[in-house]
Amino acid sequence: MDARPIGVFDSGVGGLSILQALRAELPQEHYVYVADSGHAPYGERDPAHVIARSQAIATHLVRRHGIKLLVVACNTATAAAIELLRQEWPELPIVGVEPALKPAARLSRTGRVGVLATRGTLASAKFQALLASLQDQAHFALQPCDGLADAIERQDLPAIDALAARYIAALSAGAGEPPGAIDTLVLGCTHYPLARAQLQALAGPAVTLIDSGAPVAQQARRLLQAGPGLA
Ligand code: DGL
């Protein structure tokens, strides 16, 4: 086995939800995790900031740790920077995270899907292209969640509860056009699975929450199996 580590980064602790899925899928691998807490949160910052941070962290992981694969464990950084990272490191297999709209559309029975994500992710061209490609498959109600990743980062439970309640309520109100109840909720920021219990309690038992951990880990496995040059 190639003993070089897999590099994983996020603005903070959110990517640990992805790391958990990676370790379940690829338990024999070594990992180096960078939490960019000094420059977080990414989701309400200028994309140029997120691009600069992503490039600096990728450079550190390649030069300092000799990684064999990079996982951008952040929806916001993937949307802003993954194309540029692939141009800069053409030999390095890179896996990104995108909000799980496709599986949500397949799973929803009502055809009404809620999406919680950062402002940066929702505004990105990458997300807008994904949304446009699925317009005929479901109605997506989008909810930017300013402050929620930051509250999760700080483990501020009262703030997490208050913000989660506000955003779930706004989503339910906004889902009335066209009318119909959301039965599927996409956690489109890697921090949000860390508040899954609170979000599930607020959304109710009839709503299925979906994150991107398992598909990201499976894609990492596929790229490793494809080997150098085939990624
Ligand atoms: N965890 C990140 C994401 O998936 C960003 C959170 C933040 O720093 O705003 O989008």
Side-chain angles (χ1 to χ4, degrees):
M1 186 186 111
D2 178 348
R4 290 176 298 159
I6 293 174
V8 184
F9 80 90
D10 178 46
S11 62
V13 296
L16 294 175
S17 66
I18 300 289
L19 182 63
Q20 194 176 23
L22 286 163
R23 293 184 69 180
E25 181 79 21
L26 298 163
Q28 72 284 8
E29 297 292 344
H30 301 291
Y31 297 91
V32 179
Y33 185 88
V34 175
D36 195 19
S37 349
H39 300 87
Y42 285 176
E44 291 137 53
R45 304 289 282 270
D46 194 296
H49 169 84
V50 181
I51 290 169
R53 293 308 305 153
S54 301
Q55 287 176 320
I57 294 165
T59 302
H60 169 80
L61 287 168
V62 170
R63 300 247 163 89
R64 188 74 187 270
H65 296 280
I67 56 169
K68 61 180 171 185
L69 181 134
L70 176 65
V71 178
V72 182
C74 173
N75 293 266
T76 313
T78 299
I82 199 161
E83 252 58 284
L84 290 168
L85 295 178
R86 288 192 171 123
Q87 281 168 25
E88 203 167 331
W89 307 101
E91 305 296 319
L92 180 68
I94 303 180
V95 183
V97 188
E98 69 179 16
L101 268 56
K102 285 179 209 163
R106 277 198 301 273
L107 196 76
S108 174
R109 291 175 311 281
T110 61
R112 303 282 181 270
V113 173
V115 183
L116 303 178
T118 68
R119 189 166 289 283
T121 295
L122 296 179
S124 69
K126 197 167 171 58
F127 178 81
Q128 289 299 323
L130 174 67
L131 186 63
S133 75
L134 296 167
Q135 277 308 353
D136 55 343
Q137 299 191 28
H139 172 72
F140 295 96
L142 310 181
Q143 181 59 50
C145 299
D146 292 354
L148 183 55
D150 185 45
I152 292 169
E153 192 69 29
R154 291 182 288 103
Q155 290 288 295
D156 182 342
L157 295 181
I160 294 169
D161 286 341
L163 290 168
R166 184 194 303 169
Y167 296 136
I168 296 281
L171 198 53
S172 308
E177 199 44 61
I182 284 168
D183 68 350
T184 310
L185 183 59
V186 174
L187 306 184
C189 165
T190 56
H191 279 69
Y192 304 164
L194 303 177
R196 180 184 291 274
Q198 291 95 322
L199 291 166
Q200 184 73 69
L202 288 159
V207 177
T208 303
L209 271 48
I210 304 195
D211 66 52
S212 307
V216 167
Q218 286 153 13
Q219 177 64 1
R221 170 188 286 286
R222 279 192 288 273
L223 290 191
L224 285 180
Q225 283 169 349
L230 295 176

